[in-house]
Amino acid sequence: MRLLRGPVVRGRRRHRLREAVDRGARLTPTDGASRTAVVVVNWNRADLTTRAVRAVLRDGGADEVVVVDNGSSDDSVAVLRRELPGVTVVARPSNGGFAAGANTGIRRTDADLVVLLNNDAEPAPGFVTALRDHLDRADADVAAVTGRIVLAGRWARLPAGGTAPGTRTLRDHDGSLWTPSPDGEVRLNSTGVRVDRDGNGMDRDWFAPADRVADRRVFGFSGGAAAVRRTALDDVGLLDESLFMYYEDTELAWRFRRRGWRVEHAADAVVVHDHSASSGVQSDLFVFRNARNRLVVALWHAPWRTVGRAGVRTLLRGVAGLAGRGDRREARLVLAALADVVVHLPAHLARRGRESRLASVPRSGVDPSA
């Protein structure tokens, strides 16, 4: 029975995808651009959000802008409503994380395309229009278009083994440290999202030169600067709110890809991003959620060899830290994340099974490293 069920379910999924694709084609106006809404999530940073939204409004490509306040503890809602007249401001009673905030905004609009924009990203002129036009021209099975995210400021590479006490630093994929410098270079933050063989979700072209020419094809989109087709969301569902923060865009990309949708990169849709201005790259929240969600998303979607490598790497990272070969605080958070996943393993395995039954593309048919 199980041997027959897979093909039957996959056939139904393919049929539903074709229906969704057809709906997408019909919803795209023949005499104009698709109706586009921009969703921005705020939490205690009305200053950043106001800057981002004003840039969107100057752009003129959005038909609607929705700002979702994610349970801020300050006067953000009052400030946003005062500073952004004509913008829809939705106040959530509590902070449900980025996914919950973004989903609230998506549900608030019925636009054909939804642009997700981080509040600490400032879009360049034409950003929204470039994403919209790319999706309007794209094949109907393109679910999302991810923009070109440039790191704010200029950055200089520290010498090997060098440190900069008291100075902000970021690490590239090769392990090199970079620090802000007026004499430095402009560098990229992202041209999309990819996943390595250990289950690490990462920005493609992280710290690459700003003039890097990126492939249009990419595994996933960055939730901080992307447009998503409504029909694709209707087919696979919204962002997973149980992740709270981090990897929610990667997880949604897995669902898109396993149900036959594709993601593309638009080089002319540019934002300048003040990386992690809202939460910080080494906060307890970041370390715990990043480690936990990497394992969870791998369990739900990745091949077993990736799940195994992700689990072993997480364990070794935690043990090494406690043994004095790293940050003990970070090690405790990483091991806490691993313990959380193990405690809830039955639920994660059940989710893995559900995703397999819903998918039309096998895990082996998706290349997350693109």
Short mmCIF file of all heavy atoms in Angstrom, two decimals, residues 194-232:
data_model
loop_
_atom_site.label_atom_id
_atom_site.label_comp_id
_atom_site.label_asym_id
_atom_site.label_seq_id
_atom_site.Cartn_x
_atom_site.Cartn_y
_atom_site.Cartn_z
N ARG A 194 21.31 29.55 0.40
CA ARG A 194 21.67 28.17 0.07
C ARG A 194 21.88 27.40 1.36
O ARG A 194 22.00 27.99 2.45
CB ARG A 194 22.92 28.12 -0.80
CG ARG A 194 24.12 28.85 -0.22
CD ARG A 194 25.30 28.86 -1.17
NE ARG A 194 25.83 27.52 -1.36
CZ ARG A 194 26.81 26.99 -0.62
NH1 ARG A 194 27.35 27.69 0.37
NH2 ARG A 194 27.24 25.79 -0.85
N VAL A 195 21.92 26.08 1.26
CA VAL A 195 22.12 25.21 2.42
C VAL A 195 23.26 24.26 2.12
O VAL A 195 23.28 23.61 1.07
CB VAL A 195 20.84 24.40 2.74
CG1 VAL A 195 21.06 23.47 3.94
CG2 VAL A 195 19.66 25.34 3.02
N ASP A 196 24.25 24.16 3.04
CA ASP A 196 25.38 23.28 2.79
C ASP A 196 25.09 21.86 3.27
O ASP A 196 24.00 21.56 3.77
CB ASP A 196 26.66 23.84 3.42
CG ASP A 196 26.67 23.81 4.95
OD1 ASP A 196 25.78 23.17 5.55
OD2 ASP A 196 27.57 24.44 5.55
N ARG A 197 26.05 20.96 3.14
CA ARG A 197 25.82 19.55 3.45
C ARG A 197 25.66 19.28 4.93
O ARG A 197 25.26 18.19 5.33
CB ARG A 197 26.95 18.71 2.88
CG ARG A 197 28.33 19.02 3.46
CD ARG A 197 29.37 18.11 2.87
NE ARG A 197 30.68 18.31 3.47
CZ ARG A 197 31.69 17.46 3.33
NH1 ARG A 197 31.53 16.36 2.61
NH2 ARG A 197 32.84 17.70 3.91
N ASP A 198 25.99 20.26 5.79
CA ASP A 198 25.78 20.14 7.23
C ASP A 198 24.46 20.75 7.68
O ASP A 198 24.19 20.83 8.87
CB ASP A 198 26.91 20.81 8.00
CG ASP A 198 28.26 20.14 7.77
OD1 ASP A 198 28.27 18.93 7.46
OD2 ASP A 198 29.29 20.81 7.89
N GLY A 199 23.65 21.21 6.72
CA GLY A 199 22.36 21.80 7.06
C GLY A 199 22.41 23.27 7.39
O GLY A 199 21.39 23.85 7.78
N ASN A 200 23.59 23.90 7.23
CA ASN A 200 23.71 25.32 7.53
C ASN A 200 23.06 26.15 6.43
O ASN A 200 23.49 26.09 5.27
CB ASN A 200 25.18 25.73 7.64
CG ASN A 200 25.87 25.10 8.83
OD1 ASN A 200 25.47 25.30 9.97
ND2 ASN A 200 26.90 24.31 8.56
N GLY A 201 22.03 26.92 6.78
CA GLY A 201 21.49 27.89 5.85
C GLY A 201 22.37 29.12 5.85
O GLY A 201 22.79 29.59 6.91
N MET A 202 22.69 29.61 4.67
CA MET A 202 23.61 30.75 4.61
C MET A 202 23.28 31.65 3.43
O MET A 202 22.66 31.23 2.45
CB MET A 202 25.05 30.25 4.48
CG MET A 202 25.32 29.41 3.24
SD MET A 202 27.00 28.75 3.22
CE MET A 202 26.92 27.60 4.61
N ASP A 203 23.69 32.91 3.58
CA ASP A 203 23.52 33.86 2.50
C ASP A 203 24.50 33.54 1.38
O ASP A 203 25.72 33.45 1.62
CB ASP A 203 23.77 35.29 2.99
CG ASP A 203 22.67 35.79 3.90
OD1 ASP A 203 21.50 35.74 3.48
OD2 ASP A 203 22.99 36.24 5.02
N ARG A 204 23.99 33.36 0.17
CA ARG A 204 24.87 33.20 -0.97
C ARG A 204 25.61 34.53 -1.22
O ARG A 204 25.02 35.60 -1.11
CB ARG A 204 24.07 32.81 -2.22
CG ARG A 204 24.95 32.44 -3.41
CD ARG A 204 24.13 32.05 -4.61
NE ARG A 204 23.37 33.17 -5.17
CZ ARG A 204 22.73 33.12 -6.34
NH1 ARG A 204 22.71 32.01 -7.04
NH2 ARG A 204 22.06 34.17 -6.78
N ASP A 205 26.90 34.43 -1.50
CA ASP A 205 27.75 35.60 -1.78
C ASP A 205 27.96 36.49 -0.56
O ASP A 205 28.26 37.68 -0.69
CB ASP A 205 27.19 36.44 -2.94
CG ASP A 205 27.28 35.71 -4.27
OD1 ASP A 205 28.25 34.95 -4.46
OD2 ASP A 205 26.38 35.88 -5.11
N TRP A 206 27.85 35.93 0.64
CA TRP A 206 28.13 36.66 1.87
C TRP A 206 29.57 37.19 1.84
O TRP A 206 30.51 36.45 1.69
CB TRP A 206 27.91 35.73 3.06
CG TRP A 206 28.37 36.21 4.40
CD1 TRP A 206 29.39 35.68 5.13
CD2 TRP A 206 27.79 37.24 5.21
NE1 TRP A 206 29.50 36.34 6.34
CE2 TRP A 206 28.53 37.30 6.41
CE3 TRP A 206 26.73 38.13 5.02
CZ2 TRP A 206 28.25 38.20 7.43
CZ3 TRP A 206 26.44 39.04 6.03
CH2 TRP A 206 27.19 39.06 7.23
N PHE A 207 29.71 38.48 1.95
CA PHE A 207 30.98 39.21 1.94
C PHE A 207 31.72 39.12 0.61
O PHE A 207 32.91 39.42 0.54
CB PHE A 207 31.90 38.79 3.09
CG PHE A 207 31.81 39.74 4.26
CD1 PHE A 207 31.05 39.41 5.37
CD2 PHE A 207 32.44 40.96 4.22
CE1 PHE A 207 30.93 40.30 6.43
CE2 PHE A 207 32.33 41.85 5.28
CZ PHE A 207 31.57 41.52 6.39
N ALA A 208 31.01 38.75 -0.45
CA ALA A 208 31.61 38.83 -1.78
C ALA A 208 31.70 40.29 -2.21
O ALA A 208 31.00 41.15 -1.67
CB ALA A 208 30.77 38.04 -2.78
N PRO A 209 32.57 40.62 -3.18
CA PRO A 209 32.62 42.00 -3.68
C PRO A 209 31.26 42.45 -4.17
O PRO A 209 30.47 41.66 -4.70
CB PRO A 209 33.63 41.90 -4.84
CG PRO A 209 34.49 40.73 -4.49
CD PRO A 209 33.59 39.76 -3.81
N ALA A 210 30.98 43.74 -4.01
CA ALA A 210 29.64 44.25 -4.32
C ALA A 210 29.28 44.12 -5.79
O ALA A 210 28.10 44.12 -6.15
CB ALA A 210 29.56 45.72 -3.89
N ASP A 211 30.30 43.99 -6.67
CA ASP A 211 30.01 43.87 -8.10
C ASP A 211 29.93 42.42 -8.58
O ASP A 211 29.92 42.16 -9.78
CB ASP A 211 31.04 44.65 -8.92
CG ASP A 211 32.47 44.16 -8.69
OD1 ASP A 211 32.66 43.26 -7.84
OD2 ASP A 211 33.40 44.68 -9.36
N ARG A 212 29.90 41.47 -7.65
CA ARG A 212 29.80 40.05 -8.02
C ARG A 212 28.54 39.81 -8.84
O ARG A 212 27.45 40.25 -8.48
CB ARG A 212 29.76 39.18 -6.76
CG ARG A 212 29.33 37.73 -6.96
CD ARG A 212 30.39 36.88 -7.63
NE ARG A 212 31.60 36.84 -6.83
CZ ARG A 212 31.79 35.98 -5.82
NH1 ARG A 212 30.84 35.11 -5.50
NH2 ARG A 212 32.92 36.00 -5.15
N VAL A 213 28.68 39.11 -9.98
CA VAL A 213 27.55 38.75 -10.81
C VAL A 213 27.05 37.39 -10.35
O VAL A 213 27.77 36.39 -10.43
CB VAL A 213 27.94 38.70 -12.30
CG1 VAL A 213 26.75 38.25 -13.14
CG2 VAL A 213 28.45 40.06 -12.76
N ALA A 214 25.81 37.35 -9.84
CA ALA A 214 25.26 36.12 -9.26
C ALA A 214 24.36 35.42 -10.25
O ALA A 214 23.68 36.06 -11.07
CB ALA A 214 24.48 36.44 -7.98
N ASP A 215 24.33 34.10 -10.17
CA ASP A 215 23.45 33.30 -11.00
C ASP A 215 22.00 33.63 -10.66
O ASP A 215 21.65 33.81 -9.49
CB ASP A 215 23.72 31.81 -10.73
CG ASP A 215 23.10 30.90 -11.79
OD1 ASP A 215 22.01 31.22 -12.30
OD2 ASP A 215 23.70 29.85 -12.07
N ARG A 216 21.16 33.71 -11.67
CA ARG A 216 19.74 33.97 -11.43
C ARG A 216 19.11 32.84 -10.63
O ARG A 216 18.25 33.08 -9.80
CB ARG A 216 19.01 34.15 -12.76
CG ARG A 216 17.50 34.25 -12.61
CD ARG A 216 16.80 34.46 -13.93
NE ARG A 216 17.04 35.79 -14.46
CZ ARG A 216 16.26 36.38 -15.36
NH1 ARG A 216 15.22 35.75 -15.84
NH2 ARG A 216 16.55 37.58 -15.79
N ARG A 217 19.53 31.61 -10.88
CA ARG A 217 18.97 30.47 -10.18
C ARG A 217 19.55 30.38 -8.77
O ARG A 217 20.75 30.51 -8.58
CB ARG A 217 19.27 29.18 -10.94
CG ARG A 217 18.65 29.11 -12.33
CD ARG A 217 19.22 27.93 -13.10
NE ARG A 217 20.68 28.05 -13.24
CZ ARG A 217 21.44 27.11 -13.76
NH1 ARG A 217 20.93 25.97 -14.16
NH2 ARG A 217 22.75 27.30 -13.86
N VAL A 218 18.70 30.15 -7.79
CA VAL A 218 19.16 30.04 -6.41
C VAL A 218 18.18 29.16 -5.65
O VAL A 218 17.00 29.08 -6.00
CB VAL A 218 19.28 31.45 -5.77
CG1 VAL A 218 17.92 32.13 -5.65
CG2 VAL A 218 19.97 31.39 -4.41
N PHE A 219 18.67 28.48 -4.62
CA PHE A 219 17.79 27.59 -3.86
C PHE A 219 16.67 28.33 -3.16
O PHE A 219 15.50 28.00 -3.29
CB PHE A 219 18.62 26.81 -2.82
CG PHE A 219 17.76 26.13 -1.78
CD1 PHE A 219 17.01 25.01 -2.10
CD2 PHE A 219 17.68 26.63 -0.48
CE1 PHE A 219 16.19 24.38 -1.14
CE2 PHE A 219 16.87 26.02 0.47
CZ PHE A 219 16.14 24.89 0.13
N GLY A 220 17.03 29.36 -2.38
CA GLY A 220 16.02 30.02 -1.55
C GLY A 220 16.14 31.53 -1.57
O GLY A 220 17.08 32.10 -2.14
N PHE A 221 15.19 32.16 -0.93
CA PHE A 221 15.12 33.62 -0.88
C PHE A 221 15.44 34.12 0.52
O PHE A 221 15.28 33.40 1.51
CB PHE A 221 13.73 34.10 -1.29
CG PHE A 221 12.63 33.67 -0.34
CD1 PHE A 221 12.20 34.50 0.68
CD2 PHE A 221 12.04 32.42 -0.46
CE1 PHE A 221 11.21 34.11 1.57
CE2 PHE A 221 11.04 32.01 0.41
CZ PHE A 221 10.63 32.86 1.42
N SER A 222 15.89 35.35 0.60
CA SER A 222 16.10 35.99 1.89
C SER A 222 14.81 36.69 2.30
O SER A 222 14.31 37.55 1.56
CB SER A 222 17.23 37.01 1.82
OG SER A 222 17.26 37.80 2.99
N GLY A 223 14.29 36.35 3.46
CA GLY A 223 13.06 36.98 3.93
C GLY A 223 13.19 38.45 4.21
O GLY A 223 12.19 39.12 4.48
N GLY A 224 14.41 38.98 4.12
CA GLY A 224 14.62 40.40 4.37
C GLY A 224 14.49 41.27 3.16
O GLY A 224 14.44 42.50 3.28
N ALA A 225 14.41 40.65 1.95
CA ALA A 225 14.33 41.46 0.72
C ALA A 225 13.91 40.56 -0.43
O ALA A 225 14.72 40.15 -1.25
CB ALA A 225 15.67 42.12 0.42
N ALA A 226 12.65 40.23 -0.48
CA ALA A 226 12.16 39.30 -1.50
C ALA A 226 10.69 39.56 -1.79
O ALA A 226 9.97 40.13 -0.97
CB ALA A 226 12.36 37.86 -1.05
N ALA A 227 10.26 39.12 -2.97
CA ALA A 227 8.85 39.13 -3.34
C ALA A 227 8.37 37.71 -3.52
O ALA A 227 9.08 36.88 -4.12
CB ALA A 227 8.64 39.93 -4.63
N VAL A 228 7.17 37.43 -3.02
CA VAL A 228 6.61 36.07 -3.08
C VAL A 228 5.27 36.12 -3.79
O VAL A 228 4.45 37.01 -3.53
CB VAL A 228 6.45 35.48 -1.66
CG1 VAL A 228 5.97 34.04 -1.73
CG2 VAL A 228 7.76 35.57 -0.89
N ARG A 229 5.06 35.15 -4.64
CA ARG A 229 3.81 35.08 -5.39
C ARG A 229 2.70 34.54 -4.49
O ARG A 229 2.86 33.51 -3.82
CB ARG A 229 3.99 34.18 -6.61
CG ARG A 229 3.05 34.46 -7.76
CD ARG A 229 3.22 33.43 -8.85
NE ARG A 229 4.48 33.48 -9.58
CZ ARG A 229 4.70 34.24 -10.64
NH1 ARG A 229 3.76 35.03 -11.09
NH2 ARG A 229 5.86 34.19 -11.27
N ARG A 230 1.54 35.19 -4.50
CA ARG A 230 0.42 34.77 -3.66
C ARG A 230 -0.01 33.34 -3.95
O ARG A 230 -0.30 32.57 -3.04
CB ARG A 230 -0.76 35.72 -3.86
CG ARG A 230 -2.07 35.30 -3.23
CD ARG A 230 -2.05 35.47 -1.72
NE ARG A 230 -1.89 36.87 -1.38
CZ ARG A 230 -1.95 37.34 -0.12
NH1 ARG A 230 -2.13 36.49 0.89
NH2 ARG A 230 -1.80 38.62 0.14
N THR A 231 -0.04 32.96 -5.23
CA THR A 231 -0.49 31.62 -5.58
C THR A 231 0.45 30.55 -5.03
O THR A 231 0.01 29.44 -4.69
CB THR A 231 -0.62 31.46 -7.10
OG1 THR A 231 0.55 32.00 -7.73
CG2 THR A 231 -1.84 32.20 -7.62
N ALA A 232 1.75 30.87 -4.91
CA ALA A 232 2.69 29.92 -4.33
C ALA A 232 2.41 29.74 -2.84
O ALA A 232 2.45 28.62 -2.30
CB ALA A 232 4.12 30.39 -4.56
#
